Amino acid sequence: MKDNKVIIILITVLVIVVITILGFLAISIMKNNKQPVVNQNVQNQNNNNQIEQPTNEEQNTIMNEPSGNMIIIEPNTNSVDSDNNIQPTESFVSNYYYNQLDDTAKTIYSQLKQEKNKFISGNHSVEYGTQFNTLLNSDGGQDKLTQSFQDAWDAFMYDNVDLFYIDTTKVSINIQYESLGGIRTYKVSIGPRNNGSYFLDTFKTQEEVEIAKAYMEDIRRQMTEQIATDGIYRKLGKVHNWLIETITYGGNTKDQHTIYGALANNKAVCEGYARAFKYLMDASGIPCILVSGTGTNSRGEEESHAWNYVQINENWYAVDVTWDDPILVNGGELTQELKYKYFLKGSEEFKVDHKEDGKLSEKGKTFRFPTISTQNYRP
C-alpha cells in the first residue's frame, strides 16, 4: 500500500510539473505573437496617463510615426483669451528675413514689428519722423530709402504670416518735406495708400478681422495642445497631414495666398499652404521658414511656387505640403508614397524639381535661404 501511495504522489507531482512547464510555454508563445501598436491617435496617447513621459530626445526616436489624427472642433470666434492662446516663440528663425536686412531696412522693419498689433485697424500709419532725413538729403537718397522699404516690407510679411488681412498693394511709403532756407527736412511714414484701407477686399471692418483672427488662433491652440507630447517628426507629420486633409487647392481671391484662405476657407494655392504650415509650426516651437522659388510640375512646366524649410537637430529639410496634396484625376487615391513625396526631403531629391529664388518680390532684394541637408530626414 505504501508503495502505491508513493507512486500516486510521484505521478501527481509529475503532472503538476508538466502543467507548469506547459503554462510557461503558452505565455512565451503569446508574447512572441503580440503585434506592436503604432499610429495611435491623440486620444489613445492621452489615456496612458500613468506611463512615464519620454524626454525630448527620446521623443525623436519613439512615437515618431508621421501619421495620426488631429480633430479640430469648430473654433471659437469670440476674442481669444491671451492667457489661453498659444503665442509663437521668438527666435532667430522667427526673424529669419529681418536678419538679412541692411541697417536702414532693419530700422523700418523694427518699427513695423513694434506696431504690428495696430495694423488690425486697417488704416494705421507707422511714423518715422525725421529718422531718414540725412539719407534723403544725400544723392539718390529717396531711391535708397524706397528700396530699403521694399526689402523691409518683404521680410516683414514673410516672417509674420499671421498678417493675413493686409493687401500689400494697398500699403505705401509716404515721404514729405519742408523747405526752409534751402534746407529740406523730410518726414517719412508707412501706411495705407491714398489714406484708404489696406485690408484685403474680404474684410470691411476691424471687427471682421478680429473674428477671423480669433478663429485661426483657436485652431492653432487646439493643434498645439494635441501634439504637445509628440516627438518632432510626429508633430510635423500630423500638421502636414491635417493640412492635406483640410485644404483644397484653388481659389480665385487674394485670400488663397494667406492663412485665412487655408484655415478658414479651406481653399488655397501653394503660398497659402506654406504660410499655414509656418503659422502652425511657429506655435509648436519648430523652426520653420517660408521659401519662394519655382517648381517643375508633372507636365515639365516651370511655375512660381512656395514651400517650407524646417530645422531638426541643426539640420534643415524641405516640406512641400501643396505637392503632397496633388489633384488626382479620375478619382485616383492618394497613396502613402504620394502623400510623403515632399516631406522632410534633402537637396538631392527635393531640388530635382524645386529651384530657390530669393527675390520675395519683383523689385526686392535677393534673400538667402538656409542650406538644406543633402539627404532626406531619417527618423
Side-chain angles (χ1 to χ4, degrees):
M1 290 291 292
K2 286 185 179 181
D3 291 340
N4 291 338
K5 287 182 179 180
V6 170
I7 292 172
I8 292 171
I9 291 171
L10 289 173
I11 292 173
T12 302
V13 171
L14 182 60
V15 169
I16 292 172
V17 170
V18 171
I19 291 174
T20 302
I21 292 172
L22 291 174
F24 279 120
L25 287 173
I27 291 172
S28 177
I29 291 170
M30 289 174 65
K31 285 184 177 180
N32 290 334
N33 287 337
K34 186 176 180 180
Q35 297 298 318
V37 178
V38 295
N39 296 341
Q40 291 178 308
N41 61 28
V42 174
Q43 182 178 357
N44 288 339
Q45 293 166 17
N46 289 341
N47 286 340
N48 294 331
N49 291 329
Q50 296 180 356
I51 297 177
E52 183 179 353
Q53 293 297 328
T55 65
N56 289 338
E57 286 302 316
E58 289 171 335
Q59 285 181 343
N60 290 335
T61 55
I62 65 176
M63 293 173 62
N64 62 359
E65 290 293 328
S67 58
N69 299 326
M70 284 207 309
I71 302 174
I72 304 298
I73 63 172
E74 184 63 26
N76 182 6
T77 57
N78 296 321
S79 295
V80 176
D81 188 340
S82 59
D83 292 335
N84 294 326
N85 186 31
I86 306 295
Q87 296 296 334
T89 302
E90 289 290 331
S91 66
F92 175 87
V93 173
S94 61
N95 296 308
Y96 182 81
Y97 291 104
Y98 164 83
N99 294 315
Q100 300 182 47
L101 299 173
D102 63 27
D103 289 342
T104 302
K106 281 184 176 179
T107 299
I108 296 172
Y109 181 115
S110 296
Q111 193 68 24
L112 291 170
K113 188 67 175 285
Q114 185 176 332
E115 300 185 29
K116 175 180 173 180
N117 292 336
K118 296 180 181 180
F119 282 105
I120 200 167
S121 69
N123 56 14
H124 176 67
S125 289
V126 179
E127 303 291 338
Y128 293 90
T130 59
Q131 289 186 69
F132 306 114
N133 194 54
T134 301
L135 173 62
L136 289 169
N137 273 298
S138 66
D139 290 339
Q142 185 164 331
D143 289 339
K144 292 176 183 177
L145 182 62
T146 301
Q147 184 63 58
S148 291
F149 160 68
Q150 184 66 60
D151 298 343
W153 185 258
D154 288 345
F156 184 59
M157 293 302 288
Y158 263 60
D159 283 338
N160 298 274
V161 296
D162 55 331
L163 294 171
F164 61 90
Y165 47 86
I166 295 179
D167 185 340
T168 295
T169 64
K170 297 180 181 179
V171 178
S172 66
I173 185 170
N174 181 32
I175 302 173
Q176 297 179 326
Y177 69 88
E178 295 178 353
S179 185
L180 182 62
I183 299 176
R184 287 184 174 184
T185 301
Y186 290 89
K187 291 185 178 181
V188 175
S189 64
I190 293 174
R193 192 182 300 275
N194 301 323
N195 296 318
S197 167
Y198 44 66
F199 282 158
L200 285 176
D201 292 341
T202 304
F203 305 104
K204 305 302 180 186
T205 66
Q206 178 176 336
E207 182 182 7
E208 291 177 351
V209 175
E210 288 174 344
I211 291 172
K213 186 170 182 285
Y215 183 95
M216 286 178 292
E217 286 178 349
D218 200 35
I219 289 177
R220 183 173 64 183
R221 178 190 60 78
Q222 291 185 51
M223 179 278 302
T224 304
E225 290 174 354
Q226 290 189 42
I227 65 175
T229 60
D230 290 319
I232 292 176
Y233 182 56
R234 192 172 171 98
K235 284 181 199 275
L236 289 162
K238 280 186 175 181
V239 174
H240 166 272
N241 296 348
W242 183 77
L243 290 174
I244 288 173
E245 293 163 3
T246 304
I247 304 172
T248 300
Y249 185 87
N252 55 9
T253 69
K254 290 184 178 180
D255 288 340
Q256 65 194 15
H257 298 275
T258 70
I259 64 170
Y260 182 76
L263 300 179
N265 295 336
N266 303 134
K267 185 164 284 192
V269 293
C270 57
E271 187 177 359
Y273 278 84
R275 286 180 177 273
F277 188 74
K278 174 174 168 55
Y279 177 71
L280 298 177
M281 287 298 99
D282 285 349
S284 304
I286 298 176
C288 177
I289 67 166
L290 187 64
V291 182
S292 66
T294 59
T296 303
N297 62 31
S298 58
R299 296 184 297 274
E301 301 166 343
E302 192 172 80
E303 57 189 12
S304 296
H305 196 41
W307 59 90
N308 301 96
Y309 289 156
V310 296
Q311 189 180 41
I312 306 175
N313 299 331
E314 306 303 322
N315 293 317
W316 288 89
Y317 301 91
V319 177
D320 187 343
V321 184
T322 311
W323 281 13
D324 278 342
D325 186 20
I327 298 174
L328 301 174
V329 297
N330 301 324
E333 182 180 352
L334 182 60
T335 63
Q336 291 295 97
E337 182 181 1
L338 287 175
K339 189 174 184 178
Y340 299 110
K341 186 175 182 180
Y342 298 100
F343 180 65
L344 297 178
K345 297 300 181 181
S347 59
E348 263 189 16
E349 186 172 334
F350 190 77
K351 290 191 175 181
V352 170
D353 47 17
H354 288 72
K355 185 190 301 180
E356 299 171 353
D357 180 0
K359 293 186 74 65
L360 309 185
S361 67
E362 183 179 352
K363 297 181 180 180
K365 69 168 287 176
T366 301
F367 288 88
R368 300 181 307 277
F369 298 122
T371 301
I372 62 173
S373 171
T374 305
Q375 300 300 317
N376 300 340
Y377 178 72
R378 301 296 180 191

